[in-house]
Every structure is written in C-alpha cells, then in structure tokens.
Amino acid sequence: MSEERLKDDITSGQFDLFGKILDADDGVLGDLKVTSSFKIMKALGIYKEKIDTGEVYKSGLKKGLPKFKSELRYDGVKEVLEWAIQLNYYRMLLEQQGFKVSKMFIQAICRDSNLRIAQERGIDKTVYIIPINKISDCWLKKYFSHKAKTLRNALETKTLPSVCKIRERWGNKKCTDYCAARENCPYAKKITQFAKTQEQKGVEPDDYRKTA
Ligand code: SF4
C-alpha cells in the first residue's frame, strides 16, 4: 500500500509505503523524508568534537586564543524522535485497521549531499535507511491529544502556544535555519537576532546556542 490516508478521533496522517518494501516481510512500514545533512547527521548519532590543536591564533579578533579543530564521532544519541512519533502513529492507525506492522524505517534522502558541508558532517551518501523503534500507544495518544488541544486553544484564543521545547528546537538550530514557521515565530526572530550579535563577536555557533 502507498499513500493511504488513515485517521482516528485525534488526528490523521498519510504514510508513504507499507508491505513488502524491503524484503519478504510484508509488515514493513516506511516513510520517505527529503531532508538536510544536518538532520541525517543527528539521526545517525554523528556529532563533532572539538580537539585542541595546541596552537594559538596569531592575529585578528581571536589573537592569543587556542585553536581547535573538529573531529567526527559516531557514537552519539540517535535523534529520531520526531520521525519516530510520526511513524509510530501511522503504525498505530494501521494496527487499528487489523494490519500487523513488524518493522519501521525512514528512507532519508539528503538534499545537500553534493555540498562540502554534508561531507564535513560525515554524510557521504544520498540515501539512508534508518530503523525506527516502537513507541507505546499510550504515550502516543497522550502526546497527540496534548498537541491537538494546544492547537485548538491557540486557534480559538488567537494566541501563540508556549515556545517549543529545546528538544523540539534542536537546541535552537531549527529556529535559526530549518523551521517552516520561523518567519512568523517571535522566538525565532529573537534567537536569530541573538545569533547575529554573537557571530559579530566571533562566538562559534555551537557555543552561543548553549547559552541562548
Ligand atoms: S522557530 Fe518557533 S515554532 Fe519553529 S521550532 Fe523554533 S520555537 Fe518552535
């Protein structure tokens, strides 16, 4: 099956593929994502570690300060919660219809895989198949009920809900570079202004995002 729309009394959604999509197992649920190398790096648990080179800057704003270089590490937390929540909700809706879902995968297509920045993030392929674990149905129902209530309340009262959690904001990087709502989000405007000021002072993004 592909692109079937399913719904319950909380929400609805349309998954991309379900069935024998990888091997002989006919219970595989998959979703396609066209996304950035940054998000794939996070999903694979890749991160950069700063290594002291033992040298110092000889001129400029950073004169006298130690020089660092970045090295990639591959043992970080796999940040796939957003995808896992969405895919698990499709799983739950399918199971309510009597289908058995045995495995879940995200097929992540990297939209900037030909750029140097992707290589620097350890992303050297265009497509990654990322396994997704099961989340309990009880947790999913509570989460989506809360989100639906928050949205209804915001629409009725014409007030914005509280700022997204730090996990949802990817430590503010989503607000400055990726969120589809950032043009209209007061928090994104504030944090983008803060980022500009810090960059003018020569503070590295990884450092100022921790203090924002
Ligand atoms: S830009 Fe606004 S809506 Fe988007 S993640 Fe940041 S806080 Fe949330």
Side-chain angles (χ1 to χ4, degrees), residues 163-164 169 174-175 179 182 185 187-188:
V163 176
C164 304
R169 305 196 308 265
K174 188 170 178 181
C175 310
C179 182
R182 66 188 191 279
C185 173
Y187 182 80

Side-chain angles (χ1 to χ4, degrees), residues 30 70 94 123 139 158 177 188 207-208:
S70 290
L94 273 165
I123 303 304
W139 188 92
K158 301 209 184 305
D177 298 349
D207 294 332
Y208 66 67

Side-chain angles (χ1 to χ4, degrees), residues 139-197:
W139 188 92
L140 285 169
K141 282 180 192 161
K142 275 191 192 157
Y143 179 87
F144 275 90
S145 298
H146 169 71
K147 289 285 180 190
K149 195 172 148 198
T150 307
L151 176 62
R152 266 199 310 274
N153 186 47
L155 291 171
E156 279 164 19
T157 60
K158 301 209 184 305
T159 52
L160 285 173
S162 53
V163 176
C164 304
K165 294 199 171 78
I166 184 100
R167 167 180 59 71
E168 295 169 318
R169 305 196 308 265
W170 311 345
N172 289 328
K173 182 140 182 84
K174 188 170 178 181
C175 310
T176 52
D177 298 349
Y178 295 102
C179 182
R182 66 188 191 279
E183 296 287 312
N184 299 308
C185 173
Y187 182 80
K189 284 184 184 153
K190 197 172 97 184
I191 207 73
T192 305
Q193 187 53 45
F194 180 74
K196 271 189 200 148
T197 322

